């Protein structure tokens, strides 16, 4: 039996620091002191509380229970009725903890950062991964690129500065993962926000380690035992000369009848990585590793939500340039034709025959781009995605994923893939 004076020593980051990152009020205080921006947010324990917060920050909002992993019970809601339904369900999931509500940053680029800190307060970035899918898709389901493929040096430096400041403020000893979102990345004044910080190892650590050649988990274990970063000779971020793309392995083909839409709640059951000096080829290799065979010719079917119709124009121009035929439902085809694109219109399920399901079953479609929303996501769109899954037709449900797929197909059309061992890449 331990004496009252005995003390249990915790290796690495203290439980109090972990709570500081998980507790909304304590974490916000630190961010305010460091002047780190975060999306407008609030907490709620009832629908009435949640409604007040949602009215203040505006829809859409991301809602989730506190102290959960894997995005469990996390959703994006767009209306009071959706919020009421969610609160009725979520309060049952975590009755002892409040529901966290954040402004959803639409069309933002999400960024994962892994860092390691020692007890002397030194912090080194392990890797910065740019998500290919936009913010709102769980980081475990999103494809990611290391290094970043589109963020400016100024944005990356802001991310590095805030990562170091936050690791020191939380007194992290060992690994830390932070997720950021960048709004208006292609504009003259992009805005960086912090989404969350986790003073622990993340699922991204194995990928980052393999991409950079730095054994982050091993180093973190030694750091937690008392070593310093200087003693371990890891004092500077390693930025690889090649591009490593992580892709999620999704289990949809193992569960007939499931929907393939990605969202805030994690669905993936594994990860693969593709490496090349060219992003398109690296993404293509990652897709192959995840069991997705991309077509090099044929017909692309497009059906977009209203908020995505204008965003898909440039992607469709690329597919046509690569020699693909494009067919679309009425609303999407009208938008694309207004841009001077040659598009054929295909009937929706309730508009008569032959409709899009007939084309899928007759193998007249080789690739599907479908970003539905609202009720349509649960009716026609869901049936289209389920049918395509059964016929092994690749389905893309985000604009960012479509852009990456175009880059991959372009690279595959132009250059034959070769095989290199990971040891042949310079680290």
């Amino acid at each position: 039996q331990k004496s009252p004076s005995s003390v249990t020593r915790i290796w690495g980051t203290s439980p109090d620091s972990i709570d500081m990152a998980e507790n909304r009020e304590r974490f916000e205080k630190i961010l305010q002191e460091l002047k780190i921006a975060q999306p407008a947010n609030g907490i709620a324990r009832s629908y009435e509380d949640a409604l007040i917060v949602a009215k203040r920050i505006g829809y859409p909002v991301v809602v989730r229970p506190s102290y959960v992993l894997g995005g469990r019970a996390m959703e994006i809601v767009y209306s009071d009725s959706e919020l009421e339904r969610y609160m009725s369900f979520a309060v049952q999931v975590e009755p002892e903890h409040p529901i966290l509500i954040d402004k959803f940053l639409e069309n933002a680029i999400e960024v994962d950062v892994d860092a390691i800190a020692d007890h002397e307060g030194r912090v080194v970035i392990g890797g910065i991964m740019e998500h290919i899918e936009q913010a709102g898709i769980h980081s475990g389901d999103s494809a990611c690129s290391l290094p970043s493929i589109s963020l400016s040096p100024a944005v990356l430096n802001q991310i590095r500065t805030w990562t170091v400041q936050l690791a020191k403020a939380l007194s992290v000893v060992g690994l830390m993962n932070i997720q950021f979102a960048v709004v208006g990345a292609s504009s003259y004044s992009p805005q960086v926000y912090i989404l969350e910080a986790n003073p622990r190892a993340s699922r991204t650590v194995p990928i980052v380690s393999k991409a950079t050649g730095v054994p982050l988990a091993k180093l973190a274990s030694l750091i937690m035992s008392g070593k310093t970063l200087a003693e371990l000779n890891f004092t500077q971020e390693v930025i690889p000369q090649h591009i490593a793309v992580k892709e999620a392995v999704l289990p949809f083909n193992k569960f007939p009848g499931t929907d393939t839409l990605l969202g805030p709640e994690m669905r993936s059951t594994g990860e693969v990585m593709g490496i090349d000096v060219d992003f398109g080829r690296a993404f293509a290799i990652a897709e192959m590793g995840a069991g997705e065979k991309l077509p090099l010719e044929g017909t692309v079917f497009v059906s977009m939500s209203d908020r995505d119709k204008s965003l898909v124009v440039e992607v469709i121009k690329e597919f046509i340039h690569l020699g693909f035929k494009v067919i679309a439902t009425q609303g999407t085809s009208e938008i694309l034709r207004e841009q001077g694109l040659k598009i054929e219109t295909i009937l929706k399920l309730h508009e008569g025959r032959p409709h899009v399901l007939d084309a899928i079953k007759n193998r007249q479609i080789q690739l599907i781009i479908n970003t539905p929303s609202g009720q349509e996501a649960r009716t026609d769109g869901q049936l289209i995605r389920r049918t395509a899954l059964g016929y092994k037709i690749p389905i893309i449900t985000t604009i960012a994923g479509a852009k990456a797929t175009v880059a991959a197909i372009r690279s595959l059309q132009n250059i034959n893939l070769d095989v290199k061992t990971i040891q042949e890449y310079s680290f």
Side-chain angles (χ1 to χ4, degrees):
Q1 185 175 350
K2 295 180 180 179
S3 66
S5 60
S6 65
V7 176
T8 301
R9 182 185 172 194
I10 303 297
W11 275 25
T13 306
S14 71
D16 184 63
S17 290
I18 294 171
D19 182 72
M20 215 179 301
E22 291 284 352
N23 183 290
R24 177 58 64 96
E25 287 91 348
R26 297 184 71 188
F27 188 60
E28 278 191 2
K29 185 177 179 181
I30 291 175
L31 295 183
Q32 290 169 1
E33 291 172 355
L34 297 175
K35 296 182 177 168
I36 296 176
Q38 67 175 155
N41 62 79
I43 60 175
R45 286 182 168 82
S46 67
Y47 170 63
E48 289 72 24
D49 290 345
L51 193 60
I52 293 171
V53 174
K55 293 291 186 187
R56 172 171 57 85
I57 65 180
Y59 290 109
V61 295
V62 180
V63 287
R64 61 189 170 98
S66 48
Y67 297 93
V68 297
L69 293 174
R72 178 171 172 259
M74 185 176 178
E75 286 189 28
I76 302 168
V77 301
Y78 293 85
S79 66
D80 291 351
S81 59
E82 288 184 20
L83 183 63
E84 183 176 20
R85 174 195 54 77
Y86 177 84
M87 290 301 296
S88 300
F89 161 70
V91 170
Q92 298 173 14
V93 174
E94 287 291 325
E96 302 301 319
H97 299 296
I99 302 302
L100 307 182
I101 304 174
D102 297 90
K103 177 67 177 177
F104 175 55
L105 304 175
E106 295 188 277
N107 298 314
I109 294 175
E110 193 165 337
V111 180
D112 252 291
V113 182
D114 285 310
I116 188 167
D118 61 23
H119 64 271
E120 293 182 342
R122 187 166 198 163
V123 184
V124 178
I125 304 291
I128 300 177
M129 299 180 70
E130 177 183 340
H131 289 214
I132 293 170
E133 280 79 15
Q134 66 269 26
I137 305 298
H138 192 279
S139 59
D141 290 348
S142 177
C144 299
S145 171
L146 191 160
S148 165
I149 56 173
S150 70
L151 299 178
S152 69
V155 167
L156 292 172
N157 287 337
Q158 179 71 83
I159 288 172
R160 290 185 176 100
T161 298
W162 283 353
T163 297
V164 172
Q165 289 177 341
L166 198 51
K168 289 181 177 181
L170 292 173
S171 301
V172 171
V173 179
L175 282 164
M176 179 181 195
N177 173 265
I178 306 180
Q179 292 170 21
F180 296 93
V182 183
V183 177
S186 58
S187 68
Y188 291 109
S189 56
Q191 178 65 56
V192 182
Y193 297 92
I194 188 169
L195 298 180
E196 62 176 295
N198 298 298
R200 55 167 171 78
S202 168
R203 69 180 61 80
T204 53
V205 165
I207 294 287
V208 172
S209 295
K210 186 156 284 189
T212 62
V214 179
L216 291 176
K218 177 181 178 180
L219 295 181
S221 298
L222 294 170
I223 291 291
M224 292 166 67
S225 73
K227 296 286 186 179
T228 66
L229 287 163
E231 289 175 325
L232 298 175
N233 198 31
F234 182 53
T235 58
Q236 188 172 353
E237 177 186 355
V238 175
I239 302 176
Q241 298 304 303
H242 53 266
I243 295 175
V245 172
K246 179 219 87 173
E247 181 57 290
V249 177
L250 297 160
F252 300 131
N253 62 338
K254 304 293 185 184
F255 299 95
T258 58
D259 199 348
T260 61
L261 274 183
L262 300 178
E265 192 168 69
M266 184 173 164
R267 302 283 192 88
S268 70
T269 54
E271 296 177 334
V272 297
M273 184 173 73
I275 296 181
D276 203 287
V277 295
D278 172 76
F279 169 75
R281 291 200 300 273
F283 184 79
I285 294 166
E287 291 301 297
M288 291 176 185
E292 200 74 84
K293 185 177 180 181
L294 299 178
L296 301 185
E297 59 183 5
T299 298
V300 179
F301 166 69
V302 188
S303 179
M304 313 300 294
S305 65
D306 289 339
R307 61 178 177 270
D308 288 334
K309 282 186 171 74
S310 60
L311 301 175
V312 80
V313 172
E314 293 303 317
V315 178
I316 298 306
K317 284 182 180 178
E318 283 291 319
F319 273 110
I320 293 174
H321 179 72
L322 294 175
F324 283 83
K325 174 184 174 182
V326 178
I327 61 176
T329 49
Q330 183 67 38
T332 303
S333 64
E334 287 177 359
I335 296 292
L336 296 175
R337 284 202 194 97
E338 288 173 2
Q339 300 299 316
L341 300 179
K342 185 180 179 180
I343 308 295
E344 291 187 16
T345 301
I346 191 168
L347 297 177
K348 292 183 179 180
L349 304 189
H350 62 276
E351 294 176 338
R353 308 288 289 266
H355 49 50
V356 60
L357 282 193
D358 295 322
I360 292 172
K361 294 175 181 178
N362 292 332
R363 303 194 180 277
Q364 296 169 325
I365 294 173
Q366 282 67 52
L367 182 69
I368 291 175
I369 305 175
N370 177 234
T371 66
S373 63
Q375 183 61 32
E376 197 271 333
R378 298 186 288 273
T379 54
D380 282 18
Q382 188 177 73
L383 186 54
I384 289 169
R385 293 187 297 274
R386 286 180 177 179
T387 305
L389 183 65
Y391 283 81
K392 300 188 180 338
I393 298 172
I395 311 160
I396 304 167
T397 59
T398 66
I399 296 293
K403 291 179 179 178
T405 300
V406 164
I409 292 173
R410 186 191 308 114
S411 294
L412 292 175
Q413 284 184 346
N414 294 332
I415 302 172
N416 291 327
L417 294 177
D418 54 4
V419 177
K420 289 175 68 174
T421 64
I422 196 168
Q423 289 81 5
E424 292 178 77
Y425 288 92
S426 58
F427 292 103

